[in-house]
Structure formats: C-alpha cells, structure tokens
Amino acid sequence: MTSYTPDDSATAGQSAVIDTASTWWLTALDRLERTTVADPAIKVLQRGIRSLPLGGVRDLLRGRPLGHPVHPVLVQVPIGCWLSAAVLDVVPGNRRATTTLTAVGLAGVAPAAMAGWADWADLPPEQARVGLAHAASNAAAVVCYSASLTSRLRGRSAKGRLWSLGGLAAVAVTGALGGHVAYRQAVGAHPAT
C-alpha cells in the first residue's frame, strides 16, 4: 500500500512566496509610517476634524458608549454588500440583486467614513500616515463602486462587474491597511468614560 506524502519542495516554495510577499508588504508599510511628506496636510486635516462642533456625536462616532471603536463595525455594511455582489455576479440572473447590493454598500460608506475620520483625527503621526493611505484606498473603492453602479443602472452589467472587481481589489488593500493600523500599530479602544 502506498501512502501519500506531501511534496516538501512544493510546500517550501509556497512558503517562500508568502514570506517574500509578507516581507515586501511590511517593508512598504514601515516606509509609509516613516515618510513625512503628508504630515503638513495630516496636521491640518486632523485639526479641522477635531474642531468640528460635533458634541456628543463625536463620542458616538468613536464608539465610547460601546467601549470600542465603531468604525470596524460600520465597515461591515459596504464590505459585506460588495463581497456578496461579487459572489452573485458569477450567478446568472442576479443583475437586480447585485445592483441593489452595490447601492446599499455605497450608502453604508458615509457612516463608516465618518466614524473612521473621527478616530483618525487623534492618531499619532505614524498611524495617521497609514490611516491616510487607508482613506485614499477607500476613496478608490468608492469611485470604482460608483462607476459600477452607474454602469449597472445603464444596462452595462459586464462593465459594472469589471468596476466592481476593481473596487473589491481596493477594498482588500484598504482592509489590509486598516488592519495594520488596528493591530500592528495597536490602535485600540478609546476610554469609555
């Protein structure tokens, strides 16, 4: 009887590719954290956001009543809708559903973005730099999904699917950047009191 043994060279090759990609990504993020090119704009934006007369809404946007940031909760609406739309795009006969999901995802962007900006306004420079790249990636995703929705509403579903795929790629990048800020840079909950 012959038993199956995994090919160690194939496993080692896959591991090397993942290690190389991980090293590249983390090096790029470390450079982004250290670059000071955007610092003047970051300071102006942060000061402007902090000066908005939001009152108690600021605490709600930052999740203080919950004891943790609300931004990660709110991003589930656009991400979930857009991922679901991508799945349904490969199933025939779901044009109306994918159009609806794309639109609902876009509607969910504003609350998530407001909460994100409220959190971002108090971040230190290294985290704010990555946060700004996160926001730029979010903007790219919104542009792609807006173009997707427009194409779908005009009956150009193939073009809408292509824009949706571009948007999903931007969502993957922005998710990785947001995860970096939240976990590797250890941005956590704001005091609940």
Side-chain angles (χ1 to χ4, degrees):
M1 176 180 226
T2 308
S3 63
Y4 173 75
T5 348
D7 182 2
D8 288 340
S9 64
T11 304
Q14 291 170 348
S15 180
V17 169
I18 291 170
D19 288 346
T20 301
S22 176
T23 299
W24 176 86
W25 177 253
L26 293 174
T27 300
L29 289 173
D30 287 340
R31 287 184 184 141
L32 180 58
E33 290 172 14
R34 289 190 308 269
T35 188
T36 59
V37 173
D39 283 0
I42 288 171
K43 287 178 184 175
V44 168
L45 281 169
Q46 284 182 319
R47 195 175 316 119
I49 292 167
R50 284 191 306 264
S51 71
L52 292 173
L54 299 177
V57 173
R58 184 179 314 276
D59 284 344
L60 288 174
L61 288 172
R62 296 189 66 188
R64 288 211 169 135
L66 298 174
H68 61 80
V70 73
H71 175 71
V73 175
L74 295 175
V75 299
Q76 302 309 305
V77 172
I79 293 170
C81 287
W82 294 336
L83 184 58
S84 297
V87 170
L88 291 178
D89 269 339
V90 298
V91 179
N94 287 301
R95 287 185 184 168
R96 183 180 227 162
T98 55
T99 301
T100 301
L101 285 166
T102 301
V104 171
L106 284 166
V109 167
M114 289 170 36
W117 284 112
D119 287 337
W120 179 82
D122 291 321
L123 293 180
E126 295 81 13
Q127 295 162 341
R129 293 172 191 137
V130 178
L132 190 60
H134 172 69
S137 296
N138 283 330
V142 169
V143 166
C144 288
Y145 279 107
S146 296
S148 174
L149 181 60
T150 300
S151 296
R152 291 170 192 274
L153 291 172
R154 291 181 177 168
R156 297 183 179 139
S157 59
K159 192 174 183 180
R161 285 192 300 272
L162 287 174
W163 277 112
S164 181
L165 288 174
L168 201 54
V171 166
V173 170
T174 199
L177 290 166
H180 179 79
V181 171
Y183 297 108
R184 188 157 186 249
Q185 291 183 321
V187 171
H190 304 289
T193 56

